[in-house]
Amino acid sequence: NEIKHYCYVEDIEKIIRDDLKITPDNSENLRKLFGVLFRKSVIYNVNRNIQAGLLASAEQLEIAKKLYEESKSTADRRFVALALQIRGDIFYNGNELQKAQEMYLENLKIRESMYKEKPDDLEAARDVSKALIRMRDLDKQQGDLAKALEYSTQALNLRTTVMKQAKGLGNPAKMSLFESEWLLASQWHAEDLRNLDRLEEAEFEIGQFLALANKRNADKESSTTQRDVNIGETLLCDIYFDKQDLKKALSAANRMVKATEASLQLSNSGSRELEMFVDAAGLKALVQADMGDAEDSLDTIQSTMASANRMRDKNKQLRGDAINDERLLMMYAYEMRALRLLGKIDEAKEVGAKA
């Protein structure tokens, strides 16, 4: 599908460029070309084709600036910010973090200016929050965890405002979208709090996250809503594990596994859900071992891998790498630990040989 999409975009691009040879200053065709180049930039970015992505995004940015210089319209100004944002994403994935920061800061400046001009514009607020999250990711990548928290706090506050303002719109589809975006911001904010060992605040944040995630799941259960519940319970388990409150960590781990099992049953494809199921069970086994329940830990690992392999064999839509080498090594490590705790050294060595 991705190849077909790319070929389709290439065909459209050729038609537009041919038209521009005849009318080179046609602004509508330039906007169409901007859209095509944006799609190409996204495809290149997803596939980590950095050089091709930088070429496409450079032309895209040049077109956006030209259009804005001529029109001074809000739509074309937003095009400039969008071009800066995707170019920053490509630099980020190419590990050129300084250049990514330059793009992201310029993007954020434009977004904030537009939002300041129209503080009741929900789309402008959403644009600012997306720009803030990119700055957060960049600072986190560079190890500035305090600055990352500042950005995620601002993004969460903005998305809270958007969600509150949207309640009066009477648009369930948009409200669902805004809630999903709020959950993401809440998750990242809790992660940033945890990274700074502000565990009580992180636990409170995840409590807020789970309140909404569980409500959405109760209202209309789906693989997505169950996945959100799993994300929240995973973070909560990690926080309790950090606090060495192993009893609460195990309770959260049990809820994680339950959520991933439900998500698997509700999913059309199941690849991502199967990964999350294995991860959840692995974390549960780790907690059980730390509590001294080596037999339970071993049973969790062995039954999980048997179930996961059975599900993968049964469902041909599941990717072959859903249980990849990294996950296998993780589960082998947990299995070896449980076997050693039980004094089954020879069996532990056999698992070690597999690893």
Side-chain angles (χ1 to χ4, degrees):
N1 287 338
E2 202 169 90
I3 293 169
K4 286 180 181 177
H5 184 205
Y6 179 78
C7 292
Y8 172 73
V9 169
E10 286 268 276
D11 290 342
I12 298 280
E13 181 184 358
K14 184 178 183 305
I15 293 168
I16 296 169
R17 289 192 187 277
D18 286 344
D19 287 346
L20 282 168
K21 288 176 184 176
I22 302 167
T23 54
D25 295 322
N26 186 306
S27 59
E28 281 312 304
N29 277 338
L30 281 173
R31 288 187 180 89
K32 288 177 185 177
L33 182 58
F34 173 91
V36 166
L37 289 170
F38 176 76
R39 283 166 179 78
K40 284 182 73 173
S41 297
V42 171
I43 293 170
Y44 289 139
N45 189 43
V46 168
N47 290 284
R48 298 298 192 267
N49 190 340
I50 303 302
Q51 290 309 311
L54 289 175
L55 282 172
S57 63
E59 185 180 3
Q60 179 195 351
L61 181 57
E62 185 182 345
I63 290 170
K65 287 180 175 179
K66 175 181 170 63
L67 287 168
Y68 180 63
E69 281 301 314
E70 292 174 355
S71 72
K72 298 297 181 185
S73 70
T74 299
D76 287 337
R77 192 178 179 195
R78 193 168 185 267
F79 276 175
V80 175
L82 194 60
L84 289 164
Q85 185 167 285
I86 187 62
R87 189 161 172 78
D89 291 345
I90 296 165
F91 277 129
Y92 181 88
N93 285 326
N95 205 34
E96 294 190 60
L97 301 185
Q98 185 59 45
K99 289 181 180 178
Q101 185 176 47
E102 292 170 10
M103 297 295 109
Y104 285 161
L105 281 171
E106 200 173 341
N107 169 47
L108 178 59
K109 184 179 177 181
I110 294 172
R111 304 288 198 187
E112 287 181 328
S113 175
M114 293 177 72
Y115 179 51
K116 189 175 180 180
E117 291 168 8
K118 292 185 176 181
D120 294 327
D121 187 338
L122 298 186
E123 293 304 317
R126 290 176 68 218
D127 285 345
V128 175
S129 74
K130 291 173 186 176
L132 288 166
I133 290 299
R134 280 169 167 79
M135 291 301 301
R136 173 258 182 190
D137 291 345
L138 188 66
D139 282 319
K140 183 182 177 185
Q141 175 74 6
Q142 295 180 109
D144 193 342
L145 302 181
K147 193 66 180 174
L149 176 61
E150 284 183 29
Y151 283 123
S152 66
T153 301
Q154 290 177 58
L156 178 61
N157 289 340
L158 262 179
R159 291 189 178 182
T160 301
T161 299
V162 167
M163 201 164 64
K164 286 178 179 176
Q165 290 180 345
K167 284 181 179 177
L169 295 178
N171 188 329
K174 273 204 167 183
M175 192 64 204
S176 179
L177 171 64
F178 297 155
E179 286 177 347
S180 296
E181 291 180 343
W182 183 90
L183 285 171
L184 282 170
S186 176
Q187 173 195 338
W188 294 325
H189 187 240
E191 288 174 359
D192 293 343
L193 287 166
R194 180 183 172 230
N195 288 337
L196 290 168
D197 292 324
R198 292 165 62 171
L199 300 181
E200 296 299 330
E201 293 169 80
E203 183 181 348
F204 176 80
E205 184 62 56
I206 287 302
Q208 303 287 99
F209 176 101
L210 281 168
L212 179 57
N214 282 316
K215 179 184 179 302
R216 282 161 56 89
N217 190 51
D219 290 345
K220 190 175 181 180
E221 186 186 22
S222 68
S223 62
T224 301
T225 60
Q226 285 288 5
R227 192 163 63 231
D228 287 339
V229 172
N230 171 63
I231 288 168
E233 294 293 358
T234 300
L235 270 168
L236 196 58
C237 182
D238 286 335
I239 291 164
Y240 287 140
F241 196 81
D242 290 344
K243 294 167 75 172
Q244 283 299 287
D245 191 337
L246 299 181
K247 188 175 180 181
K248 286 186 178 179
L250 183 59
S251 294
N254 282 325
R255 294 192 295 271
M256 282 161 46
V257 173
K258 184 179 177 182
T260 54
E261 287 173 337
S263 188
L264 259 170
Q265 291 174 0
L266 293 162
S267 171
N268 290 325
S269 62
S271 294
R272 178 63 184 133
E273 286 72 18
L274 180 56
E275 292 172 8
M276 294 178 78
F277 171 68
V278 175
D279 290 344
L283 187 52
K284 177 182 176 180
L286 180 63
V287 173
Q288 288 172 320
D290 268 40
M291 293 179 75
D293 297 329
E295 283 195 22
D296 287 345
S297 179
L298 183 61
D299 180 65
T300 296
I301 295 159
Q302 292 177 341
S303 63
T304 296
M305 293 310 295
S307 296
N309 282 313
R310 189 166 58 250
M311 284 185 280
R312 185 177 60 180
D313 292 341
K314 185 179 178 181
N315 188 345
K316 300 301 181 186
Q317 291 179 328
L318 292 173
R319 290 199 315 268
D321 65 347
I323 310 169
N324 58 23
D325 288 346
E326 185 181 346
R327 284 183 175 78
L328 273 176
L329 287 171
M330 174 189 77
M331 297 304 272
Y332 283 151
Y334 293 161
E335 189 174 6
M336 285 164 57
R337 184 182 182 206
L339 288 166
R340 283 177 179 146
L341 287 171
L342 291 168
K344 299 180 179 181
I345 306 303
D346 288 341
E347 290 180 48
K349 286 180 180 178
E350 288 177 14
V351 175
K354 290 182 192 176

